Every structure is written in C-alpha cells, then in structure tokens.
Coordinates of all heavy atoms in Angstrom, one line a residue:
L1 N 111.5 -91.9 -0.9 CA 110.1 -91.7 -1.1 C 109.9 -91.4 -2.6 O 110.6 -90.6 -3.2 CB 109.5 -90.6 -0.3 CG 109.3 -90.9 1.2 CD1 108.7 -89.6 1.8 CD2 108.3 -92.1 1.4
L2 N 108.8 -91.9 -3.2 CA 108.4 -91.6 -4.5 C 107.1 -90.9 -4.4 O 106.1 -91.4 -3.9 CB 108.2 -92.8 -5.4 CG 107.7 -92.6 -6.8 CD1 108.7 -91.8 -7.6 CD2 107.4 -93.9 -7.5
V3 N 107.0 -89.6 -4.8 CA 105.8 -88.7 -4.7 C 105.4 -88.3 -6.1 O 106.3 -87.9 -6.9 CB 106.1 -87.5 -3.8 CG1 104.8 -86.8 -3.6 CG2 106.7 -87.9 -2.5
S4 N 104.1 -88.3 -6.4 CA 103.7 -87.9 -7.7 C 102.4 -87.1 -7.6 O 101.5 -87.4 -6.8 CB 103.5 -89.2 -8.6 OG 103.0 -88.8 -9.9
R5 N 102.3 -86.0 -8.5 CA 101.0 -85.3 -8.6 C 100.6 -85.2 -10.0 O 101.5 -85.1 -10.9 CB 101.2 -83.9 -8.1 CG 101.3 -83.7 -6.6 CD 100.0 -83.8 -5.8 NE 99.0 -82.8 -6.2 CZ 98.9 -81.6 -5.7 NH1 99.9 -81.1 -4.9 NH2 97.9 -80.8 -6.1
E6 N 99.3 -85.3 -10.3 CA 98.7 -85.1 -11.6 C 97.7 -84.0 -11.5 O 96.8 -84.1 -10.7 CB 98.2 -86.4 -12.2 CG 99.2 -87.5 -12.5 CD 98.5 -88.7 -13.2 OE1 97.3 -88.7 -13.4 OE2 99.2 -89.6 -13.6
I7 N 97.8 -83.1 -12.5 CA 96.7 -82.0 -12.6 C 96.2 -82.1 -14.0 O 96.9 -82.0 -14.9 CB 97.4 -80.7 -12.3 CG1 98.2 -80.6 -11.0 CG2 96.3 -79.6 -12.3 CD1 97.5 -81.0 -9.8
H8 N 94.9 -82.4 -14.1 CA 94.2 -82.5 -15.4 C 93.7 -81.2 -15.9 O 93.4 -80.2 -15.1 CB 93.1 -83.5 -15.3 CG 93.5 -84.9 -15.0 ND1 93.6 -85.9 -15.9 CD2 93.9 -85.5 -13.8 CE1 94.1 -87.0 -15.4 NE2 94.3 -86.8 -14.1
A9 N 93.5 -81.1 -17.2 CA 93.1 -79.9 -17.8 C 91.7 -79.4 -17.4 O 91.4 -78.3 -17.5 CB 93.2 -80.0 -19.3
D10 N 90.9 -80.4 -16.9 CA 89.5 -80.1 -16.4 C 89.5 -79.7 -15.0 O 88.5 -79.4 -14.4 CB 88.6 -81.2 -16.6 CG 89.0 -82.5 -15.9 OD1 90.0 -82.4 -15.1 OD2 88.3 -83.5 -16.0
G11 N 90.7 -79.6 -14.3 CA 90.8 -79.1 -13.0 C 90.9 -80.2 -12.0 O 91.2 -80.0 -10.8
K12 N 90.6 -81.5 -12.4 CA 90.7 -82.6 -11.4 C 92.2 -82.9 -11.2 O 93.1 -82.6 -12.0 CB 90.0 -83.8 -11.9 CG 88.4 -83.5 -12.0 CD 87.7 -84.7 -12.6 CE 86.2 -84.5 -12.7 NZ 85.5 -85.6 -13.3
G13 N 92.5 -83.6 -10.2 CA 93.9 -84.0 -9.9 C 94.0 -85.2 -9.0 O 93.0 -85.7 -8.4
S14 N 95.2 -85.8 -8.9 CA 95.4 -86.9 -8.0 C 96.8 -86.9 -7.5 O 97.7 -86.2 -8.0 CB 95.2 -88.2 -8.8 OG 96.1 -88.4 -9.8
A15 N 97.1 -87.5 -6.4 CA 98.4 -87.6 -5.8 C 98.7 -89.1 -5.3 O 97.8 -89.8 -5.0 CB 98.4 -86.7 -4.5
R16 N 99.9 -89.4 -5.5 CA 100.4 -90.8 -5.1 C 101.7 -90.7 -4.2 O 102.5 -89.9 -4.5 CB 100.6 -91.6 -6.3 CG 99.3 -92.0 -7.0 CD 99.5 -93.0 -8.1 NE 98.2 -93.5 -8.6 CZ 97.5 -94.5 -8.1 NH1 98.0 -95.2 -7.1 NH2 96.4 -94.9 -8.6
L17 N 101.7 -91.6 -3.3 CA 102.9 -91.7 -2.4 C 103.3 -93.2 -2.4 O 102.5 -94.0 -2.0 CB 102.6 -91.2 -1.0 CG 103.7 -91.3 0.0 CD1 104.9 -90.4 -0.4 CD2 103.2 -90.8 1.4
M18 N 104.5 -93.4 -2.9 CA 105.0 -94.8 -3.0 C 104.0 -95.7 -3.9 O 103.8 -96.8 -3.6 CB 105.2 -95.5 -1.6 CG 106.2 -94.7 -0.8 SD 107.8 -94.6 -1.5 CE 108.4 -96.2 -1.5
G19 N 103.5 -95.0 -4.9 CA 102.6 -95.7 -5.8 C 101.2 -95.9 -5.4 O 100.3 -96.4 -6.1
R20 N 100.9 -95.4 -4.1 CA 99.5 -95.5 -3.6 C 98.8 -94.2 -3.5 O 99.5 -93.2 -3.3 CB 99.5 -96.2 -2.2 CG 100.0 -97.6 -2.2 CD 100.4 -98.1 -0.8 NE 99.3 -97.7 0.2 CZ 99.5 -97.6 1.5 NH1 100.6 -97.9 2.0 NH2 98.5 -97.3 2.3
P21 N 97.5 -94.1 -3.6 CA 96.8 -92.8 -3.5 C 97.1 -92.2 -2.2 O 97.2 -92.9 -1.2 CB 95.3 -93.2 -3.7 CG 95.4 -94.5 -4.5 CD 96.6 -95.2 -4.0
V22 N 97.2 -90.9 -2.1 CA 97.4 -90.2 -0.9 C 96.6 -88.8 -1.0 O 96.5 -88.3 -2.1 CB 98.9 -89.9 -0.7 CG1 99.5 -89.0 -1.7 CG2 99.1 -89.4 0.7
T23 N 96.2 -88.3 0.1 CA 95.5 -87.0 0.1 C 96.6 -85.9 0.0 O 97.7 -86.1 0.5 CB 94.7 -86.8 1.3 OG1 95.5 -86.8 2.5 CG2 93.6 -87.9 1.5
V24 N 96.2 -84.8 -0.5 CA 97.1 -83.6 -0.6 C 97.4 -83.1 0.8 O 98.5 -82.6 1.0 CB 96.4 -82.5 -1.5 CG1 97.3 -81.2 -1.4 CG2 96.3 -83.0 -2.9
S25 N 96.5 -83.2 1.7 CA 96.8 -82.7 3.1 C 97.9 -83.5 3.7 O 98.7 -83.0 4.5 CB 95.5 -82.8 3.9 OG 95.0 -84.1 4.0
I26 N 97.9 -84.8 3.5 CA 99.0 -85.7 4.0 C 100.3 -85.3 3.4 O 101.3 -85.2 4.1 CB 98.7 -87.2 3.8 CG1 97.5 -87.6 4.7 CG2 99.9 -88.0 4.1 CD1 97.1 -89.1 4.5
L27 N 100.3 -85.1 2.1 CA 101.5 -84.6 1.4 C 102.0 -83.3 2.0 O 103.2 -83.1 2.2 CB 101.2 -84.4 -0.1 CG 101.3 -85.6 -1.0 CD1 101.2 -85.2 -2.5 CD2 102.6 -86.4 -0.8
R28 N 101.1 -82.4 2.3 CA 101.5 -81.1 2.8 C 102.1 -81.2 4.2 O 103.1 -80.6 4.5 CB 100.2 -80.2 2.9 CG 100.5 -78.8 3.2 CD 99.4 -77.8 2.7 NE 98.1 -78.3 3.1 CZ 97.2 -78.7 2.3 NH1 97.4 -78.6 1.0 NH2 96.0 -79.0 2.7
E29 N 101.5 -82.1 5.0 CA 102.1 -82.4 6.3 C 103.4 -83.0 6.3 O 104.4 -82.6 7.0 CB 101.1 -83.3 7.1 CG 101.4 -83.4 8.6 CD 100.3 -84.2 9.3 OE1 99.3 -84.5 8.7 OE2 100.5 -84.4 10.5
L30 N 103.6 -84.0 5.4 CA 104.9 -84.6 5.2 C 105.9 -83.7 4.6 O 107.1 -83.6 5.0 CB 104.8 -85.9 4.3 CG 104.2 -87.1 5.0 CD1 103.9 -88.1 3.9 CD2 105.1 -87.7 6.0
G31 N 105.5 -82.9 3.6 CA 106.4 -82.0 2.9 C 107.0 -81.0 3.8 O 108.2 -80.6 3.6
A32 N 106.4 -80.6 4.9 CA 106.9 -79.6 5.8 C 108.1 -80.2 6.6 O 108.9 -79.5 7.2 CB 105.9 -79.1 6.8
M33 N 108.2 -81.6 6.6 CA 109.3 -82.3 7.3 C 110.4 -82.6 6.3 O 111.5 -83.1 6.8 CB 108.7 -83.5 7.9 CG 107.6 -83.3 8.9 SD 107.0 -84.9 9.5 CE 105.5 -84.4 10.4
L34 N 110.2 -82.4 5.0 CA 111.2 -82.9 4.0 C 111.9 -81.8 3.3 O 113.2 -81.8 3.1 CB 110.5 -83.8 3.0 CG 109.7 -85.0 3.5 CD1 108.9 -85.6 2.4 CD2 110.7 -86.0 4.0
I35 N 111.2 -80.7 3.0 CA 111.8 -79.6 2.2 C 111.3 -78.3 2.7 O 110.1 -78.2 2.9 CB 111.5 -79.8 0.7 CG1 112.1 -81.1 0.1 CG2 112.0 -78.6 -0.1 CD1 111.7 -81.4 -1.3
N36 N 112.2 -77.4 2.8 CA 111.8 -76.0 3.3 C 112.1 -75.0 2.1 O 113.2 -74.9 1.7 CB 112.6 -75.6 4.5 CG 112.1 -74.3 5.1 OD1 112.0 -73.3 4.4 ND2 111.9 -74.3 6.4
I37 N 111.0 -74.4 1.7 CA 111.2 -73.4 0.5 C 111.0 -72.0 1.1 O 110.0 -71.7 1.7 CB 110.1 -73.7 -0.6 CG1 110.3 -75.1 -1.2 CG2 110.2 -72.6 -1.6 CD1 109.4 -75.4 -2.3
H38 N 112.0 -71.2 0.8 CA 112.0 -69.8 1.2 C 111.7 -69.0 -0.1 O 112.6 -68.9 -1.0 CB 113.3 -69.3 1.8 CG 113.3 -67.8 2.0 ND1 112.6 -67.2 2.9 CD2 114.0 -66.9 1.2 CE1 112.8 -65.8 2.8 NE2 113.6 -65.7 1.8
G39 N 110.5 -68.4 -0.2 CA 110.2 -67.6 -1.4 C 110.2 -66.1 -1.0 O 110.4 -65.8 0.2
Q40 N 110.1 -65.3 -2.0 CA 110.2 -63.8 -1.7 C 109.0 -63.4 -0.7 O 109.2 -62.4 0.0 CB 110.1 -63.0 -3.0 CG 111.3 -63.3 -3.9 CD 111.2 -62.5 -5.2 OE1 111.0 -61.3 -5.2 NE2 111.4 -63.2 -6.3
H41 N 107.9 -64.1 -0.8 CA 106.8 -63.7 0.1 C 107.1 -63.9 1.6 O 106.4 -63.4 2.4 CB 105.5 -64.5 -0.3 CG 105.5 -65.9 0.1 ND1 106.2 -66.8 -0.7 CD2 105.0 -66.5 1.2 CE1 106.1 -68.0 -0.1 NE2 105.4 -67.9 1.0
D42 N 108.1 -64.8 1.9 CA 108.5 -65.1 3.2 C 108.9 -63.8 3.9 O 108.8 -63.7 5.2 CB 109.5 -66.2 3.3 CG 109.0 -67.6 3.0 OD1 107.8 -67.6 2.8 OD2 109.7 -68.5 3.0
N43 N 109.6 -62.9 3.2 CA 110.0 -61.7 3.8 C 108.8 -60.9 4.4 O 108.8 -60.2 5.4 CB 110.7 -60.8 2.8 CG 112.0 -61.4 2.4 OD1 112.6 -62.3 3.1 ND2 112.6 -60.9 1.3
Q44 N 107.6 -61.0 3.7 CA 106.4 -60.3 4.1 C 105.9 -61.0 5.4 O 105.3 -60.4 6.3 CB 105.3 -60.4 3.0 CG 105.8 -59.7 1.7 CD 106.2 -58.3 1.9 OE1 105.6 -57.5 2.6 NE2 107.4 -58.0 1.3

C-alpha cells in the first residue's frame, strides 16, 4: 500500500491511498489493522 498525507500551513489537508483521494476516517480504520502503536499514554 502507498499512503500519503499532506498538511498545509493554512490548516487544510488531504490524504491519498494508492494515489487516489481517501478520507482520514478510512485511513484510521485501515491503520488499526496495519500498525499498532503503543505510546506512554496507553499506560493511562
């Protein structure tokens, strides 16, 4: 998979999946199946 995010200085942003536009909510749903990040807040 090729995943890309752009965040502009004016606060706008965009996301692409396999070169096509994708919503951040879809990325978030897929991301939970691909990578698991354990941060210090997880202890809380």
